[in-house]
Amino acid sequence: MRTQILITTGGVALIAFASVGASTDYADLQRIVTEHYDDEFLSRAADYHSVRLVLFCVQSGVILASLGLLVASCFGKSGRWVLSLTRGKEWLGRLVILSALYLGLALIRLPFLIARFFHAKEYGLRHDSLAGFLLDVSKSLGIGWVLVVAIGLIVLGLFAALPRWWWALSAGMVALLAVGYTVLSPVIIDPLFHEFRKLDNRSLENRLANLGRRGGIDNLEILISDAGRRSRTANAYFTGFGGTQRIVLHDTLVNNFDAGEVAIIVAHEIGHWREKHIYKGLVVGIIGMCLGFYVSHLILGWCVDNRVGGLSGRSDPGLVIPAYGLYILLMYAAMVPGNWVSRQMETQADLVSLDLTQDPDTFIRARNRIAHRNLSEVLPSAWIEYTFYTHPSNAKRILMAKEFMPLE
């Protein structure tokens, strides 16, 4: 599933899903791995993902160190200098500093993005050109800049104008933006990166429509994206909100998997739709935002009261620097609880898929084929899965299917 939430500013998820699925006894999981994957595949997948993990950790370290140096500086002086450039317009000063910070972090991330691109090409997962990749990066950066500037100006403007309740109003405003983004993204943002078409296989279309009706969805919309022009990986996701909800299948999935396997994967996405996971994800995000904004209220308020970094007051544009640094820290802090919630949703969707299809054998075959095609790390270290994985490991999903008892 691709849950599209505009921003999740820190905090621990306060809603929990009942633990479901297979036993997590490590010996059982190792047997699954031995049964379904050979040593060559496991070694190649481990090598691929170990490099990606190193790149992520180094990138995160550089970003945090750079922000630390900025926050340790006299950012009040930066605010006064920018105010002199903007002729005293505080909102324009915030815009300038926000844009400079965003661009600076983008430049830090760029070499790591390019390294991951060439690493994926080396392992045969991508086949697009560097120029096409950089065009996609540029589009993403442009969209991200608009969102960061809009949210930053709203939040810092409220911080200056309403010292006591700015954090609650900010959470409410960003929540509305998150809902709007989730509604519009499938019809405005996604087409900037992919072309979409209707499913042109009438037999498969009827099969999936019947599956949707069994899952309680009468108006199931399924689109095919042209992901294959960039990558060989196969995937599917559920996106949208209200009238823009739809399931998107990569063309690499439809073209290379049989009808039963595609039906299993679509049933998983129907599980997200039926269980209202996008709505629940937005609720989790809003709760996280409230907690994150309240923490920011305490920390930024203290910074202003104590004139940290030479701040002149709540409207000082220099406040953008510690606020941005705090935002990045809270995003990292939100990763573990956010991923935990996501894994519970994915497990629930897997169970819906098994319940709708009553076909654990095809479920296992589809998971195996996706893992091989996407070079997945099927049983990562527990701490890696806990920290970074939005889905349960492939071994856990297969074990759950093996323990599933179809109806007679």
Side-chain angles (χ1 to χ4, degrees), residues 25-65:
D25 183 86
Y26 194 72
D28 291 339
L29 296 173
Q30 285 182 312
R31 281 193 291 272
I32 292 293
V33 172
T34 302
E35 179 182 349
H36 293 279
Y37 305 99
D38 59 45
D39 290 341
E40 181 182 357
F41 167 80
L42 294 172
S43 176
R44 184 173 169 80
D47 290 344
Y48 174 71
H49 287 280
S50 64
V51 172
R52 287 174 60 85
L53 179 61
V54 169
L55 287 171
F56 174 82
C57 291
V58 174
Q59 173 187 298
S60 299
V62 173
I63 287 173
L64 292 174

Side-chain angles (χ1 to χ4, degrees), residues 112-238:
F112 296 97
L113 290 173
I114 293 173
R116 282 193 285 272
F117 168 78
F118 281 113
H119 182 56
K121 284 183 77 75
E122 179 186 355
Y123 279 79
L125 296 178
R126 297 192 70 117
H127 46 250
D128 51 338
S129 68
L130 178 61
F133 171 75
L134 291 177
L135 178 60
D136 286 342
V137 170
S138 299
K139 293 176 186 177
S140 296
L141 288 176
I143 294 165
W145 176 79
V146 171
L147 297 178
V148 165
V149 165
I151 292 170
L153 292 180
I154 290 171
V155 168
L156 292 170
L158 289 172
F159 179 85
L162 302 167
R164 175 170 290 190
W165 294 108
W166 73 272
W167 62 274
L169 290 172
S170 294
M173 292 291 291
V174 175
L176 290 175
L177 287 173
V179 172
Y181 184 88
T182 307
V183 171
L184 296 176
S185 182
V187 294
I188 294 179
I189 304 299
D190 290 356
L192 296 176
F193 299 90
H194 293 283
E195 293 181 1
F196 297 91
R197 61 178 173 84
K198 296 285 188 178
L199 185 63
D200 55 9
N201 183 325
R202 182 59 61 87
S203 174
L204 180 58
E205 183 181 9
N206 290 336
R207 180 172 182 169
L208 299 181
N210 289 333
L211 197 61
R213 283 190 286 271
R214 290 206 301 275
I217 302 167
D218 294 326
N219 57 337
L220 182 65
E221 182 178 9
I222 297 178
L223 297 178
I224 313 300
S225 78
D226 64 341
R229 66 187 176 90
R230 294 181 176 87
S231 169
R232 72 181 297 271
T233 59
N235 202 358
Y237 60 90
F238 169 53

Side-chain angles (χ1 to χ4, degrees), residues 365-386:
R365 189 173 74 247
R367 292 261 42 97
N368 278 331
R369 293 196 61 202
I370 287 177
H372 279 92
R373 191 170 188 88
N374 296 358
L375 199 57
S376 304
E377 193 170 19
V378 295
L379 186 59
S381 300
W383 75 269
I384 291 178
E385 182 176 354
Y386 181 79

